[in-house]
Amino acid sequence: MRAVIVAVGVAFLVSLFGTPIAIKLFTRLKAGQPIRSDGPAMHQGKKGTPTMGGVVFILATVIAYVAGHLALTSLPDQQIAQVEPTITALVLLGLMVFSGAVGFLDDFLKVRKRNSAGLNKRGKLLGQILVGAVFGVIALWFPSTMTNGSGLATNTETVGSTTLSFIRDIDFLEVSKVGAVIIFIFVVMAATNGVNLTDGLDGLATGASVMVLAAYALIAFWQYRHWCADPNYTQPYCYEVRDPLEIALIAGAAAGACVGFLWWNTSPARIFMGDTGALGLGGLIAGMAMSTRTILLLPIIGGLFVIITMSVVIQIISFKTTGKRVFRMSPLQHHFELAGWSEVNIVVRFWIIAGIGVAIALGLFYSEFLANMT
């Protein structure tokens, strides 16, 4: 727990004090956010606000991970296998950094071209597929080599699984490794685009992501305390995952980094996360679902992202089939803007929806544990 707390604290402080530096730097570089001409009229006042702020909390998460590992050096000997950096960390941080890199390229092109077009849809899609495929392969082809004091392997789990999961792996829903990678690519695409679509109002995606990442930190730490690979855990019911403490540490660090960023990103935002931050967070969240074996729980934990994504899908299908729009504008947050809701009201109420989804998901996770312990 101490390592997780250290990581959260370091990430928060680096992001809190690093964001003003990024604001000055991106302002000097004239990296202002272009605003869609067909968007809500009130957004035109945000034109020129520095973008690509996601660089700050991505960097803060990586720094906090290193700091958390320094705190792990005092763990008991039987837990020493968690001290060294793992494939799990490579996958999770890699997903965050490289998904963020795809978003950074998109942001850079927007700033350079001085319009909101950025990277074309095909380029962004290919980038998401490539990131999902590379880290999906790493997650499924590199089992743990953790050993106990006798030199015997105690956990040969991979980061991902060839079995679909809800609260844990569902045995009768097994697929091949290639099939599992394809599924993970889809999860990466869904999560990155879901966060990206939610990032339309000051602080909306940041605050929702804090809740989702905090939920994964709790889930992972609970799995660590009831871990099948822990030689001191004697209960028959345990979680077959790889490196749950690593997952909790990274999830906590990312949540702390987002809280620090939110200080400057809340309305009126002094900096936007941009696609850099949105895609980075989406990639990490996808990795969290895979590594905690809760892929089918992700739509509940990230319920707000699902609702907003579906509003876009419904709008497109309705317009192409009937020529009529269901919403005044999509994504959904813009519909309420045009309906006269203030930006702050929309953000807070959508945060409440995000919190409800997280609460339901955590309730399902814990109730499954209780049901199997009785």
Side-chain angles (χ1 to χ4, degrees):
M1 174 61 83
R2 180 173 60 187
V4 177
I5 293 174
V6 168
V8 172
V10 169
F12 171 74
L13 292 173
V14 171
S15 187
L16 180 66
F17 294 107
T19 303
I21 298 173
I23 292 172
K24 293 178 181 178
L25 176 62
F26 291 139
T27 300
R28 187 176 303 167
L29 294 174
K30 297 182 179 180
Q33 174 69 48
I35 304 298
R36 291 169 48 189
S37 59
D38 60 342
M42 61 283 288
H43 284 204
Q44 295 304 315
K46 300 181 180 184
K47 188 175 182 179
T49 302
T51 188
M52 296 187 280
V55 170
V56 178
F57 57 72
I58 291 174
L59 181 61
T61 301
V62 175
I63 293 172
Y65 171 75
V66 175
H69 263 269
L70 293 177
L72 280 173
T73 55
S74 60
L75 282 175
D77 291 340
Q78 65 267 27
Q79 295 176 330
I80 198 69
Q82 284 280 294
V83 174
E84 299 298 325
T86 63
I87 291 292
T88 301
L90 172 64
V91 170
L92 294 179
L93 293 177
L95 283 165
M96 188 180 199
V97 170
F98 285 95
S99 293
V102 175
F104 183 86
L105 178 59
D106 187 36
D107 288 332
F108 176 78
L109 291 175
K110 288 177 183 177
V111 171
R112 185 175 181 180
K113 296 177 181 178
R114 300 298 176 187
N115 62 55
S116 60
L119 187 64
N120 62 50
K121 293 181 180 179
R122 181 177 297 179
K124 189 180 293 187
L125 181 65
L126 288 174
Q128 292 168 336
I129 291 173
L130 180 61
V131 171
V134 169
F135 290 101
V137 168
I138 295 173
L140 286 159
W141 265 269
F142 292 87
S144 173
T145 56
M146 186 183 300
T147 59
N148 59 22
S150 302
L152 300 175
T154 59
N155 182 15
T156 56
E157 294 286 339
T158 53
V159 180
S161 173
T162 56
T163 304
L164 286 178
S165 56
F166 181 53
I167 305 298
R168 58 178 66 240
D169 286 341
I170 304 172
D171 294 336
F172 60 87
L173 294 179
E174 188 168 1
V175 296
S176 66
K177 284 188 176 181
V178 173
V181 171
I182 293 172
I183 290 172
F184 181 61
I185 291 172
F186 173 78
V187 174
V188 170
M189 292 170 60
T192 52
N193 286 301
V195 179
N196 197 21
L197 290 171
T198 304
D199 182 33
L201 301 181
D202 296 351
L204 177 56
T206 309
S209 296
V210 168
M211 297 182 212
V212 171
L213 290 166
Y216 276 119
L218 290 172
I219 287 172
F221 192 77
W222 185 263
Q223 290 175 333
Y224 174 65
R225 299 296 295 174
H226 305 84
W227 190 24
C228 296
D230 184 352
N232 296 319
Y233 185 70
T234 58
Q235 296 294 331
Y237 192 71
C238 59
Y239 294 94
E240 295 181 355
V241 295
R242 174 171 177 167
D243 310 316
L245 186 58
E246 287 276 83
I247 303 169
L249 192 154
I250 293 170
C258 285
V259 172
F261 181 76
L262 185 60
W263 182 275
W264 307 99
N265 181 235
T266 193
S267 183
R270 292 186 56 188
I271 188 170
F272 300 139
M273 69 166 68
D275 281 18
T276 305
L279 269 60
L281 288 173
L284 177 60
I285 289 170
M288 289 290 161
M290 174 180 64
S291 58
T292 58
R293 310 294 171 85
T294 56
I295 283 181
L296 296 180
L297 191 64
L298 176 58
I300 302 176
I301 294 180
L304 178 65
F305 303 140
V306 174
I307 292 170
I308 289 177
T309 301
M310 289 307 300
S311 74
V312 176
V313 173
I314 291 170
Q315 186 85 322
I316 292 172
I317 293 175
S318 176
F319 187 75
K320 287 189 174 182
T321 56
T322 69
K324 296 181 180 180
R325 293 180 172 85
V326 176
F327 308 103
R328 289 181 172 91
M329 182 178 290
S330 64
L332 187 60
Q333 60 269 30
H334 299 320
H335 167 82
F336 289 106
E337 277 190 292
L338 296 181
W341 290 24
S342 71
E343 182 171 5
V344 173
N345 276 343
I346 297 169
V347 170
V348 172
R349 288 168 182 171
F350 276 37
W351 280 353
I352 292 171
I353 295 172
I356 291 172
V358 165
I360 292 172
L362 289 177
L364 289 171
F365 180 84
Y366 186 58
S367 63
E368 190 266 353
F369 177 81
L370 291 179
N372 285 278
M373 287 296 288
T374 57

